[in-house]
Amino acid sequence: MSDDRVRGFPAFGAAGARGRFAKSWWGRAWLSAMEDTALDLRQLKQGRRYAAAGLVGPITVSPGRIAAVVDDVDGGPYRTELRLAELSDAEWTRFLDRVASRAGHLAALLDRDMPHDLVEAADDTGVHLLPGIGDLDPECDCPGWELPCRHAAALSFQASWLLDVDPFVLLLMRGKGEREIREALESRTAPRTDPLDVARTPGELPDLAGFEPAGVPSIPAAPGVPAETFALLAANAAGRAKALLSGEPWPGRRSDSVRLAAEFPAVAGRLGEGADFARAVAAWTYGGRAGLEVLDTPWTPPKAALAAARAALADVTDAEPVFDRNHCTVGEVQLRLDRGGRWHPYRSGGDSWWPSGPPETDPGLLLG
């Protein structure tokens, strides 16, 4: 068994706190799991302040558990932890097999990145890496009854900062340390003896002349067509098929060009040009189809949604927000509400507003 199944991280401290916002999409997904479960948003906001103030002590991460001692302006310190179910052996096998089978996924994970399509591929095999609603189980010995309490919320916010830097923290909570994962991946990608390698000088390529798998017709070459073009077309076709099977409508010509440019930056210059197209690509990159819709189409949201946004913003800024339908402007920041209840941040860029980051359900998280 690997010896890195318990990892300790020093306290951030007030000076070491990197801010109140998770930077990576998986760090934000971690926070969303906590926020969507919370019964009292005031506890979350207080926890965010505690995290930024450096009231969380050294953090310990081990399979199924992340723990710390959290101080409090009204007492404490309190022993606080968040629990997350470990993956089963069968789930780990499916996940590691999937990662090892895709060179891009393997390279990304070992580079401490967690692409959307890696997580989606795991989901397709029934392995859910990121916590969902109710998956994070907070515990604290403080006298409060709300869960998560402000101490568990503070720990969760700082945990998102750890995840930003190293997604192996999440995998450790799911049951395996980094060394164990690397060893398992290496065993899956190690070269294997192939019948074509028999009686062959090291470094010599096998003679494949006339070789054709039984029952599979040969595929004629396509002179002049780059291999990367085939790869792009295959990836795009797979993505479109998956979207259609999940019930998404087929996009119009403009939105499909924007989607392609966002998902395949290498061909963006062939699909469109100019500031308007660049803004649209940025909107899709950050928010997908909803991000493009909120860029192009204003709409009138329910009054309750705007009242909730006004209350959330009052906790983080003294500036008076200006609402215009689903647009909310606060100084140099504009927030736009999509029909799914998420606020998309924009920054002033001369004569227009530019998408500047992923959306959040709490607009207060987007000011800073």
Side-chain angles (χ1 to χ4, degrees):
M1 181 179 292
S2 173
D3 60 359
D4 64 345
R5 287 167 59 87
V6 177
R7 294 178 62 185
F9 299 88
F12 283 96
R18 301 184 305 123
R20 296 177 298 174
F21 308 100
K23 307 299 181 184
S24 64
W25 74 267
W26 58 88
R28 292 190 298 272
W30 168 276
L31 289 179
S32 294
M34 177 190 63
E35 292 166 351
D36 292 342
T37 307
L39 300 177
D40 187 347
L41 294 180
R42 293 173 299 179
Q43 296 294 319
L44 297 184
K45 293 170 183 175
Q46 190 66 44
R48 186 169 62 213
R49 297 189 186 101
Y50 279 23
L55 297 181
V56 180
I59 296 175
T60 301
V61 183
S62 57
R65 178 176 178 269
I66 181 167
V69 171
V70 182
D71 211 343
D72 195 311
V73 295
D74 296 327
Y78 299 107
R79 291 187 295 273
T80 304
E81 65 182 43
L82 298 166
R83 293 189 175 275
L84 180 64
E86 298 178 46
L87 299 180
S88 67
D89 290 342
E91 288 172 326
W92 271 114
T93 297
R94 294 200 300 273
F95 171 66
L96 293 169
D97 286 346
R98 178 57 65 96
V99 172
S101 70
R102 304 282 183 89
H105 289 172
L106 178 61
L109 183 60
L110 297 182
D111 197 33
R112 285 176 161 71
D113 186 16
M114 189 173 284
H116 272 286
D117 57 347
L118 186 157
V119 175
E120 290 172 354
D123 284 338
D124 288 343
T125 66
V127 180
H128 306 300
L129 296 177
L130 291 166
I133 297 176
D135 287 346
L136 288 177
D137 184 16
E139 293 185 11
C140 185
D141 62 3
C142 72
W145 60 269
E146 307 93 341
L147 288 176
C149 63
R150 56 185 177 271
H151 312 107
L155 174 58
S156 192
F157 276 106
Q158 287 205 1
S160 73
W161 303 345
L162 296 178
L163 291 172
D164 274 347
V165 177
D166 189 356
F168 280 101
V169 172
L170 173 64
L171 297 177
L172 176 54
M173 286 197 70
R174 286 301 198 183
K176 288 187 184 294
E178 179 177 353
R179 187 175 293 109
E180 192 175 1
I181 291 171
R182 287 179 177 272
E183 291 172 354
L185 291 174
E186 287 173 3
S187 69
R188 286 166 165 77
T189 55
R192 292 177 171 81
T193 302
D194 190 287
L196 292 172
D197 291 334
V198 177
R200 182 162 55 86
T201 303
E204 178 186 358
L205 294 176
D207 182 9
L208 298 179
F211 175 75
E212 182 174 305
V216 179
S218 60
I219 302 175
V225 181
E228 59 268 22
T229 300
F230 282 113
L232 186 151
L233 291 172
N236 181 55
R240 286 293 82 213
K242 181 178 179 180
L244 289 173
L245 288 172
S246 66
E248 287 187 17
W250 187 265
R253 179 175 180 179
R254 174 177 178 272
S255 60
D256 205 37
S257 296
V258 169
R259 178 188 63 81
L260 284 168
E263 295 179 0
F264 305 99
V267 300
R270 307 178 191 177
L271 297 168
E273 58 185 16
D276 287 344
F277 186 74
R279 289 173 69 231
V281 172
W284 190 288
T285 300
Y286 287 126
R289 185 187 302 273
L292 182 61
E293 182 180 356
V294 86
L295 169 71
D296 290 339
T297 310
W299 63 288
T300 303
K303 292 181 180 179
L306 300 183
R310 189 182 296 275
L313 294 173
D315 286 338
V316 296
T317 180
D318 294 328
E320 183 65 25
V322 178
F323 288 88
D324 180 14
R325 302 186 72 183
N326 65 318
H327 295 183
C328 172
T329 305
V330 186
E332 295 297 314
V333 179
Q334 184 176 96
L335 309 177
R336 300 187 180 186
L337 180 66
D338 67 27
R339 296 178 187 274
R342 300 182 304 167
W343 291 91
H344 299 247
Y346 281 67
R347 299 281 177 176
S348 178
D351 297 331
S352 58
W353 293 95
W354 280 78
S356 62
E360 296 281 359
T361 54
D362 180 355
L365 294 175
L366 298 173
L367 297 186

